[in-house]
Amino acid sequence: MSRWALAWRLARRGLDWRFRGLRLLIVCLVLGTAALSAIGTLTGGIGRELAARGQSMLGGDLELTLAGREAAANELAAMRTLGTVSQGVRLQAMARRAESADDAVPVELKAVDARWPLYGAFTVEGGRNAGAPQGMTAWIDPGVGDRLGVKAGDRLKIGQAELVIGGVIAGEPDRLSEGFALGPTVIVSEEALKASGLVQVGSMARWKYRLRLRAEADPAALAEDFKTRFANSGFQVRTRDKASPGLDRFVSRMGQFLVLVALAALGIAGIGIAGGVSSYLEMRRASIATLKILGAQSGDIVRIFLLQIAAAAAAAIALGLLLGVGITPLLARALEGLLPIPPGFTVDAGALAVAGAYGLLIALTFAAPPLLEARRVPAMALLRARVAPLGQGWRLPLWVLPVGLGLSGIAGLAVLTSPQPLLAAGFLGGAAAVFAVLALIGRGLSWGAARLPRPARPLLRMALGNLHRPGAQTSALVVALGFALAAFVMLAAVQTSIDANIAQRVPERAPDYFVLDVPKGARQDTFRALVRREAPGAAVRMVPSMRGSILAFGPDAAMTEVGTLKDIPEASWMLRGDRGLTYSADIPQGNVLTEGRWWPKDYAGEPLVSVDADQAKAIGLNVGDKVRISLLGTEREARVASLRRIDWSSFGFNYALVFSPNALEDAPHTFAATITLAAPEKREIVRRAILSGLVKALPESSVIEVGLVLGHARALLGQVGTAIFAAASVAVLAGLAVLAGAIAAARAARQYDSVILRVLGASRAQLLALLAAEYALLCAVLALVALALGGGTAWLVIVQLFEFDWAPDWARVFAVLAGGVGLVMVLAVAGSLSVLRTRPAEALRAL
């Protein structure tokens, strides 16, 4: 019989279905693999859903978008040679009840032709399928009905068009590809849009052309050919496999972040695995000694217990994978409405395989040190009772190779399976640094406890001694629980800082309303008069507004054509699609020049442009270079006169490109305005007056309510925060599992100490006070460590990454920390109570 076969026979006899002694390993692995498999399964399911629903989400195989103008005859003819074309228009508008202008609601108007939708099903309340609206019929979002008090059959007025509500929207197939909505949707026909009179030259409207291609056609190749053919027309092109690029990036990044957080939690669990294996081998001391006396070699000992650990790890990983798949619907419900969630249970074989591989690598890596140490201990040492615990004095050269290989395998797997390898590598490096710092703090705590002056009170002196006694788990507990509590502190500080920034900045600095498509000339005076009448003291700011796209940029002799770029860097968002454009004689409010000079107020020379400094850096644009844009189908060119630092958090008019007046003022355009109320306490009264007044005086203009938009944004951030909080909770649970393992590993030694103290006259109350004092000292250190690490990381995220003000709600942060520390304290004392129930006589007979 081979040595492995013999080892498996002995290992199998030493195992039972309840896995006594290995339960901590199982708990830690179940937690980590469940988190990884749930996140991977959910992310994979969303990715498959995006791919499967690409046609219906986009509304076609290919989408071509133009800002500010509809396609020319030759452009439309070229589209029709590719396949069936469905044309639509998107713009902001104001809707009100036909019989009254006393109340109005900003809406996102979506005009479609009779072919819409090319793919997918459009449904209305009641579950019935519906097609494109006909004639003067409109389909409305439930929000429109709620705010105006209208229903199917009622009449609605948008611009100059009077519409009949045909039904309430239940399912809009291409909603996710439309992006963030600035108001509830109203879907109308092209006929109704024309009757509204809202679309004028220079209006902030977007024309979308969806194409159904032939079955054999390649959307990507056709898109590239179309972009090349009409390179300077300003088309933004999307294909069905990239129906929502922003959503794809969000899902990828969020999934990657959650996987890394869960991997860090699994790393904490690894500490518990190491402690659990040490405890298990300590329990098997007599068996190891017997095997060695009977002739077993050190390699045989390793094989036997390696097989037992592998069997327990396999069972734990399988249970974790099942649990991860089982909790996926709960995560899906938390993110419902934010992402395209597949219905019911989903299984992603690749994600499960990766989660299982992580679990196995973690188990073997952290089990290696105690397992290899056991093989070196001689039989006589194994027979000594509690004199030389197996976990003592690990020899670095013995286990550095397997542990190093295991950690390299974990890091390699994380980087290779990541869509952003540099981010994964950076996160793992940062997590390793945090673990190292925590380990040093734990060692320093033990070292300091051994050298502090002895307190006069016996209980406190003994509690301090327990932090550095042989076999103490102080360092492991500081690493595991310190990391877990620091994660909660970081989340609390980040969340409250963001909330505080929104609460502080929005009322003080953000306007109450954005108004689009204010006509030039005398109508601007009409607008200002209306605001002065309905909201005395309100501040009004008005700027020219148009949309265009960048065609080329760079030095005169070597301009880079955007259409030739195969991959636009993510930081260079200015080059993607159409952008807001404006002109100004003065430096815009909230902007600071960082390089170059601003043009004089009466400037009449070569057209100039000022560029956002961050975007200029991202694309390598310098003062003196040129920028060529497409505006309403024509090309315009300007030289870069200056770079600006923009305060994007001001919620005002912030444009990446600001031109000199002589560059754009002759182009057809409208104005955009902001209204900042002087008396916020009367916001609802003023809102009704302004909206109804605008509908009457300027029906072609539309309003965006900042408060409503921010409310939607907060709701979405809340859903994301729930997912992050759930992932961070795994780290806390893993830390608590390590705590339970440390208590179990020290149970025998504590029973011995308890018995001796009881014989010497100590009461149970005194022993309980000793336990409480020991863990209180440990928790005090954990609280300081968590506050420093978690707070420092949150500061980096808020100030350096988000560039927000550092404004955490310390009351909430301390409440979260106190709750976590209190939970640790309660579980630590409760887990040690069984030691106090040990009867001295019974324990002494067993010694």
Side-chain angles (χ1 to χ4, degrees), residues 401-725:
L401 180 60
V403 170
L405 289 175
L407 293 176
S408 299
I410 294 166
L413 183 62
V415 172
L416 290 176
T417 58
S418 170
Q420 295 173 289
L422 291 179
L423 175 64
F427 183 92
L428 292 175
V434 170
F435 279 131
V437 169
L438 288 171
L440 289 175
I441 292 174
R443 291 290 182 90
L445 176 61
S446 297
W447 183 87
R451 286 159 180 78
L452 285 174
R454 301 296 92 182
R457 299 183 63 180
L459 288 179
L460 188 57
R461 183 167 63 249
M462 295 175 67
L464 190 63
N466 282 344
L467 294 178
H468 65 84
R469 62 181 294 172
Q473 301 288 318
T474 303
S475 184
L477 289 176
V478 168
V479 173
L481 294 173
F483 189 94
L485 293 175
F488 264 15
V489 169
M490 182 197 72
L491 288 175
V494 168
Q495 183 178 3
T496 57
S497 283
I498 292 176
D499 289 345
N501 274 271
I502 292 175
Q504 291 171 8
R505 294 184 180 207
V506 170
E508 295 177 5
R509 303 173 63 181
D512 294 276
Y513 303 100
F514 281 92
V515 184
L516 305 178
D517 291 330
V518 178
K520 292 194 297 183
R523 307 294 291 281
Q524 292 176 257
D525 296 330
T526 302
F527 171 75
R528 289 192 175 93
L530 168 68
V531 175
R532 283 196 300 269
R533 184 179 70 247
E534 304 295 351
V540 175
R541 184 184 171 208
M542 198 174 299
V543 299
S545 181
M546 57 202 84
R547 295 193 72 84
S549 56
I550 298 176
L551 300 178
F553 62 92
D556 287 352
M559 294 185 71
T560 301
E561 300 288 339
V562 175
T564 64
L565 296 176
K566 298 297 182 183
D567 185 25
I568 297 176
E570 191 154 332
S572 307
W573 51 261
M574 186 173 67
L575 302 181
R576 289 195 179 94
D578 56 274
R579 294 288 131 205
L581 307 175
T582 191
Y583 59 85
S584 176
D586 301 309
I587 299 175
Q589 183 179 335
N591 289 225
V592 177
L593 288 186
T594 59
E595 189 177 344
R597 294 185 301 171
W598 199 261
W599 42 83
K601 289 190 177 183
D602 55 352
Y603 179 75
E606 178 186 18
L608 300 176
V609 63
S610 179
V611 184
D612 171 33
D614 291 336
Q615 284 299 294
K617 181 180 179 181
I619 64 176
L621 195 64
N622 300 305
V623 172
D625 291 346
K626 281 191 173 182
V627 173
R628 188 192 313 143
I629 63 169
S630 172
L631 179 64
L632 298 176
T634 63
E635 293 184 26
R636 301 203 176 202
E637 202 167 75
R639 190 171 300 279
V640 178
S642 64
L643 305 181
R644 293 166 293 121
R645 185 176 69 249
I646 302 174
D647 181 9
W648 294 101
S649 64
S650 65
F651 290 89
F653 289 117
N654 295 310
Y655 290 87
L657 298 175
V658 178
F659 291 82
S660 58
N662 66 324
L664 298 182
E665 63 183 349
D666 62 322
H669 63 275
T670 58
F671 279 70
T674 59
I675 303 174
T676 305
L677 301 180
E681 67 277 2
K682 298 180 179 179
R683 181 173 282 114
E684 182 58 26
I685 298 174
V686 173
R687 182 190 73 82
R688 294 172 65 93
I690 288 178
L691 296 185
S692 61
L694 280 173
V695 166
K696 296 174 184 176
L698 300 169
E700 64 269 59
S701 299
S702 58
V703 177
I704 298 172
E705 295 181 84
V706 174
L708 188 63
V709 173
L710 288 176
H712 291 319
R714 287 192 188 100
L716 294 178
L717 289 174
Q719 288 179 294
V720 174
T722 299
I724 296 174
F725 187 83

Side-chain angles (χ1 to χ4, degrees), residues 125-144:
E125 283 189 355
R128 67 184 179 91
N129 288 345
Q134 302 295 317
M136 304 303 287
T137 301
W139 305 113
I140 65 169
D141 185 273
V144 178

Side-chain angles (χ1 to χ4, degrees), residues 371-405:
L371 189 60
L372 293 176
E373 188 60 34
R375 68 191 289 273
R376 296 188 53 145
V377 181
M380 292 304 295
L382 288 167
L383 292 173
R384 298 188 190 118
R386 303 189 188 94
V387 175
L390 292 177
Q392 291 291 314
W394 290 351
R395 297 165 179 81
L396 184 63
L398 181 68
W399 52 266
V400 67
L401 180 60
V403 170
L405 289 175

Side-chain angles (χ1 to χ4, degrees), residues 311-326:
I317 290 170
L319 180 58
L321 296 179
L322 289 174
L323 185 60
V325 172

Side-chain angles (χ1 to χ4, degrees), residues 698-776:
L698 300 169
E700 64 269 59
S701 299
S702 58
V703 177
I704 298 172
E705 295 181 84
V706 174
L708 188 63
V709 173
L710 288 176
H712 291 319
R714 287 192 188 100
L716 294 178
L717 289 174
Q719 288 179 294
V720 174
T722 299
I724 296 174
F725 187 83
S729 298
V730 178
V732 175
L733 292 175
L736 295 177
V738 173
L739 173 63
I743 293 171
R747 193 181 304 278
R750 288 186 181 277
Q751 284 179 339
Y752 180 83
D753 294 346
S754 177
V755 166
I756 297 300
L757 292 172
R758 290 287 298 279
V759 169
L760 294 176
S763 66
R764 287 188 176 182
Q766 288 175 313
L767 294 179
L768 182 61
L770 173 61
L771 283 172
E774 176 186 346
Y775 284 110

